[in-house]
Amino acid sequence: MASFVSRLNTTVAQSFVGKWFMLEGSSHPRPRAGTTFSTELRAGFATFVTMAYIISVNSLIISDTGGPCVCDYDPLDPTKGGAATGATGDGSAPAVGAGDMIAYCSSNQEYTSCIDIVRKDLIVATAAMACIASTAIGIFSNLPLGMAPGMGINAYFTYTVVGKFGSGKISYGVALAAVFIEGLVFLVLSILGLRQWLARSIPRNIKVATGVGIGLYLCFIGMQSSAGIGLIRSDPATLVGLGGCDSNYLDASGACLAGRMESPRTWMGVLGLFIISILVLYKVKGAILIGILFVAVVSWFRGTSVTYFPNDAVGDSRFSYFKQVVSFHRIQKTWAVMDFQLNTGEFWLALITFLYVDILDTTGTMFSMAQFAGFMDPKTGDFEGSTPAFITDALCVSLGAVFGTSDVTAFVESGAGITEGGRTGLTAVTTGVCFFISLFFSPIFSAIPPWATGPALIFVGSLMTKSVTEINFNYIGDSIPAFLTLAMMPLTYNIAYGLLGGLLAAVVINGTVYIVEKLSGGRLVPPNKNEKDPVMPFRMGPQGEGVLPPWLVRLIRKLKGQDPLEHAEHGTGARRTRTSEETLPAPSAPASPKVDEKKDNIGVDKVIPDQFAENPARLTAASSGVEPTSSRRMSHSHHRNSISSDHRGEL
C-alpha cells in the first residue's frame, strides 16, 4: 500500500496537476517543499469534515428569515394574529409587535411548510457555494483554504437585518441584493489591490493577535453545543457557565439546572479530543480525521446514550433521512430572488455594515490562515496568492446571493487541513469535491454530530494560540490593542469586532502618544518607547511601489523586460531565500537560524511538515517576520536606532 501511494504521489507530481499546484517533485521552478498528493487529499477531507456542520447550521439560521415565503399575518385581523381596531381604546390600530407576528407565523402550517422547503433549498445552496468557492480559491490562488457561507455574518443577516420571519426593517430579497452589490464592491477593491493594502496597514501585533483570537474563537465554538461538545452552556448570571448536562436538565434559556458534566455526549467529545491528542503526540497521519470519524460512527448506533438518532420524533426524522443515503433536492424558492430596492436608508446601512464586517472578517481569517501555514512574507505583510484569493472571495459573495445565502468567506476550520499538512490548493479543491459529493450524500454528511467535530475545533484552536508569545507585551501601545483583539473575538462571537476593537485601541493609544510628543517638542515620551514595534512602511510592494496592486507591478516589470518575479510581493514567489530579511531582527543577526533538533528538545511536537514546523517560535517568526520574544527584547533598541534614519517619521 505504501509503495502504491508513493508511486501515485510521484505520478501526480510529474503531471500537469503537480506543476499547477507546485507539488514537490514537479517541474515547477518553485515547488512547495514536503507537499504530496496524498497529504493534500487527507488535509482537504479533514477541512471538509470540520466544516460540514455549516451545511445544516447555515440553512437553519437563514431559513429563520422566512426566505421569500409570505405569512398572512394582519395586525388588524384577529383571525390572522392581530387585534381588532379599537383595542387601544381610541379607535386606532394597535402597534405591530414582532413577537405577535412570529408567534402567529410559527403556528401557520402553510407558512412553516414553505419554510421547510426554503431550509432544504439552503442546504443545497450552502453545499453548492462551499463546493464552488473552495474549488475556485484552490485552483486560482493555490491556497489550502476552505470557503462557505460564513458563521456570524449569517446570524447578523438573519436576526438583525431581515429579522426572524421577516420582522426586520428590510426583506429577505433586499438583503440579498445588498450582499450581491457588496461582492461587486469587493471585486473592484480586490482588482485595485486596496483590500491587500488595507490589510497590510494593520499593525503586526494585531495580525498576530488575530490568529490567537481565532484560535480561542474556534475553541469557544467547539465547547458549545450547537457545533461542539456542549461543555459550555448559557448562564443567566454569568452569561456562560459549565454545561455538559442532558437536554432534559436545560431551562428555557439553555442553562443547566442540574446534571452538569453528566452528559454521555459531552464525555464522548472529550474522548474524541483525547484520541486526537494522543494520535498527534505519536505523529499518526490523519489524527484529526480519525478522531472525528470514530466519534461519528459510534454515535450512529441507535439505542445508546450517545446516539445521534434518539427514539423520538427528531431522532426518527434524522434516522429516516440518514437511511436514504443518496438524496438530491432542487432549489425551488431561493434562487435569484434579489430585490434591488436601493432607495431606502436601511438598504445602504445594511450594505455598509456587510462591507466593513466582511472585509475585516475575511481578511483577518485569510491572513491568519496564511500565517499559520507559513505563507506570510515579513517584508510586505502579504501572502502568496492574495490577489486571486480576494477576487475569488468577492465573486463568490455575489454568487452566494444568487443562491439565496449570506456572505461566503474563508473558514478558520481550514486550520484542521493545514495541521494535517495541507499546503497547496489541492487541499481546497479536495474540500470542494467533498462538498459536491455532499449534494448527493447529504443524509450521510448531515449525520456527523457536533460532539464529533467539536474536539477538532478545540485542538486546532490550541495550535493557533502558540503565536501569543510573539506579541510585544513590553510596550502598552502594542500589547493593549493586541489583547483586546484576541479577547473580543471569542467574547463577542465575531472576528470583525475583535479586529475593530484592536485597531481603535491602537489608534487612540498611539495617536495620543504621538500628539503629546509633538506638542511637548519631544520632551514627553513613554520611557520605554524604544521597545515599540516599528511601523511597517505604508506601501504596497517591498520596493515602495505605492498603491499599485501586485499583479500590476509584475505586469509593468514584464513590459520593461525585467523579471516579474524579482521582488515579488510574497516571499515564496520571489527569487530569494525564504529566510531573507525580516522585520525586527538586529541587522547582524541571522534572519531565520536553523534548529539543532538534538539540542533543542523543548519544542512542541511537530504536527505539520518539518519545513514549516521546525520550532513553534520560528514558525511564527517565519510567517510574521518576528524573532522569538527573548531575542526580540534585546534587539528593539538597536534595531530602532538602525532604521530611524531610513524611516524617519514612520515610527
Side-chain angles (χ1 to χ4, degrees):
M1 183 65 180
S3 60
F4 170 77
V5 173
S6 178
R7 290 196 303 270
L8 177 63
N9 289 335
T10 302
T11 301
V12 174
Q14 295 175 352
S15 67
F16 169 77
V17 173
K19 183 178 181 180
W20 181 271
F21 291 105
M22 303 166 62
L23 295 178
E24 185 176 48
S26 69
S27 58
H28 196 282
R30 294 175 292 112
R32 293 181 179 172
T35 54
T36 64
F37 180 66
S38 59
T39 300
E40 299 298 314
L41 293 183
R42 186 178 67 246
F45 191 56
T47 299
F48 165 74
V49 173
T50 55
M51 285 179 59
Y53 72 89
I54 195 62
I55 297 176
S56 58
V57 174
N58 187 63
S59 61
L60 286 171
I61 291 176
I62 297 186
S63 63
D64 270 355
T65 63
C69 301
V70 178
C71 179
D72 63 350
Y73 172 78
D74 186 347
L76 302 179
D77 188 346
T79 64
K80 296 183 178 181
T85 301
T88 58
D90 58 2
S92 62
V96 179
D100 296 335
M101 174 184 175
I102 293 171
Y104 173 76
C105 294
S106 298
S107 60
N108 187 308
Q109 186 174 358
E110 182 179 354
Y111 184 70
T112 54
S113 298
C114 179
I115 290 180
D116 285 339
I117 298 175
V118 170
R119 186 174 294 118
K120 293 178 181 178
D121 287 353
L122 289 169
I123 288 176
V124 175
T126 303
M129 280 312 308
C131 166
I132 295 170
S134 298
T135 303
I137 200 169
I139 292 175
F140 297 112
S141 69
N142 200 22
L143 292 172
L145 299 178
M147 297 187 68
M151 289 291 292
I153 191 68
N154 56 3
Y156 173 78
F157 176 94
T158 298
Y159 302 113
T160 302
V161 177
V162 181
K164 187 175 178 66
F165 295 160
S167 58
K169 295 182 178 180
I170 64 177
S171 68
Y172 172 73
V174 173
L176 288 178
V179 174
F180 182 85
I181 295 176
E182 174 206 353
L184 299 181
V185 174
F186 272 162
L187 179 62
V188 175
L189 293 178
S190 301
I191 293 175
L192 296 179
L194 294 180
R195 285 183 73 177
Q196 300 93 311
W197 183 68
L198 289 172
R200 290 190 186 102
S201 66
I202 298 175
R204 186 200 63 84
N205 283 281
I206 292 181
K207 286 182 181 178
V208 175
T210 298
V212 178
I214 290 177
L216 296 175
Y217 179 59
L218 273 180
C219 179
F220 192 43
I221 294 174
M223 288 186 176
Q224 296 181 55
S225 58
S226 58
I229 64 177
L231 185 65
I232 292 176
R233 285 282 184 177
S234 64
D235 188 286
T238 60
L239 297 182
V240 294
L242 184 65
C245 60
D246 286 326
S247 57
N248 54 321
Y249 290 120
L250 297 176
D251 64 9
S253 66
C256 288
L257 299 176
R260 288 182 174 86
M261 294 306 298
E262 295 181 4
S263 171
R265 293 173 178 175
T266 296
W267 284 108
M268 179 59 69
V270 173
L271 176 60
L273 179 59
F274 173 78
I275 291 173
I276 292 173
S277 302
I278 295 298
L279 292 178
V280 169
L281 189 63
Y282 285 94
K283 297 179 173 51
V284 176
K285 299 289 187 180
I288 294 178
L289 185 57
I290 292 173
I292 292 174
L293 293 180
F294 173 82
V295 176
V297 172
V298 171
S299 302
W300 287 344
F301 291 95
R302 304 199 76 175
T304 68
S305 58
V306 297
T307 182
Y308 192 54
F309 310 119
N311 294 313
D312 55 22
V314 174
D316 291 341
S317 176
R318 288 176 182 170
F319 192 63
S320 176
Y321 188 54
F322 174 71
K323 289 189 297 183
Q324 293 181 23
V325 182
V326 179
S327 176
F328 181 77
H329 172 81
R330 297 186 62 180
I331 296 179
Q332 301 177 28
K333 294 184 176 295
T334 63
W335 175 262
V337 293
M338 294 91 70
D339 185 2
F340 291 92
Q341 294 184 12
L342 313 183
N343 57 348
T344 62
E346 289 78 9
F347 171 86
W348 294 106
L349 177 62
L351 174 60
I352 293 172
T353 305
F354 284 143
L355 278 170
Y356 102 82
V357 170
D358 199 37
I359 197 170
L360 292 178
D361 196 335
T362 303
T363 303
T365 300
M366 283 191 178
F367 271 78
S368 296
M369 291 298 102
Q371 176 174 318
F372 188 50
F375 294 148
M376 292 292 290
D377 178 26
K379 291 195 67 174
T380 65
D382 197 11
F383 61 90
E384 184 172 4
S386 60
T387 299
F390 285 128
I391 290 176
T392 300
D393 170 64
L395 291 173
C396 289
V397 167
S398 294
L399 184 59
V402 176
F403 274 86
T405 187
S406 58
D407 297 48
V408 174
T409 183
F411 263 57
V412 291
E413 285 83 354
S414 303
I418 294 172
T419 301
E420 286 291 341
R423 289 296 180 277
T424 75
L426 269 176
T427 296
V429 172
T430 302
T431 302
V433 171
C434 289
F435 273 111
F436 176 76
I437 295 174
S438 72
L439 289 170
F440 305 95
F441 293 91
S442 55
I444 300 295
F445 292 112
S446 65
I448 298 178
W451 54 89
T453 59
L457 299 182
I458 297 171
F459 180 78
V460 172
S462 72
L463 296 180
M464 295 188 66
T465 58
K466 291 188 297 186
S467 59
V468 70
T469 58
E470 300 309 318
I471 295 175
N472 181 25
F473 286 107
N474 297 321
Y475 185 73
I476 293 297
D478 291 333
S479 63
I480 293 299
F483 176 76
L484 289 176
T485 299
L486 67 90
M488 289 180 64
M489 285 185 182
L491 296 181
T492 61
Y493 211 72
N494 193 294
I495 296 172
Y497 291 160
L499 265 173
L500 187 62
L503 290 172
L504 289 176
V507 171
V508 172
I509 295 174
N510 295 306
T512 301
V513 171
Y514 177 81
I515 293 173
V516 171
E517 181 177 353
K518 291 299 181 182
L519 292 179
S520 65
R523 290 184 293 272
L524 293 177
V525 296
N528 65 332
K529 190 184 176 184
N530 64 310
E531 295 189 280
K532 180 182 184 296
D533 267 6
V535 177
M536 181 171 288
F538 205 60
R539 61 191 185 185
M540 281 293 289
Q543 302 303 311
E545 296 90 351
V547 296
L548 295 179
W551 65 268
L552 185 55
V553 174
R554 292 194 297 271
L555 178 61
I556 293 174
R557 293 186 63 84
K558 187 174 183 179
L559 293 177
K560 290 181 178 180
Q562 300 171 335
D563 186 353
L565 295 179
E566 187 74 18
H567 304 302
E569 80 280 11
H570 35 66
T572 54
R575 293 190 176 179
R576 50 185 169 84
T577 61
R578 185 165 180 85
T579 56
S580 59
E581 296 179 64
E582 300 188 33
T583 306
L584 293 181
S588 60
S592 182
K594 290 288 184 180
V595 181
D596 187 347
E597 292 184 359
K598 294 181 180 179
K599 295 180 181 180
D600 189 356
N601 295 321
I602 61 173
V604 177
D605 287 330
K606 298 187 286 280
V607 292
I608 52 181
D610 292 351
Q611 70 275 11
F612 295 103
E614 290 184 320
N615 183 282
R618 288 173 174 80
L619 167 62
T620 309
S623 60
S624 62
V626 185
E627 280 187 315
T629 307
S630 58
S631 57
R632 186 184 68 232
R633 291 172 180 169
M634 295 185 291
S635 65
H636 266 294
S637 179
H638 183 189
H639 180 62
R640 185 176 186 272
N641 293 333
S642 68
I643 66 173
S644 59
S645 60
D646 296 331
H647 301 293
R648 193 173 303 278
E650 293 176 353
L651 297 178

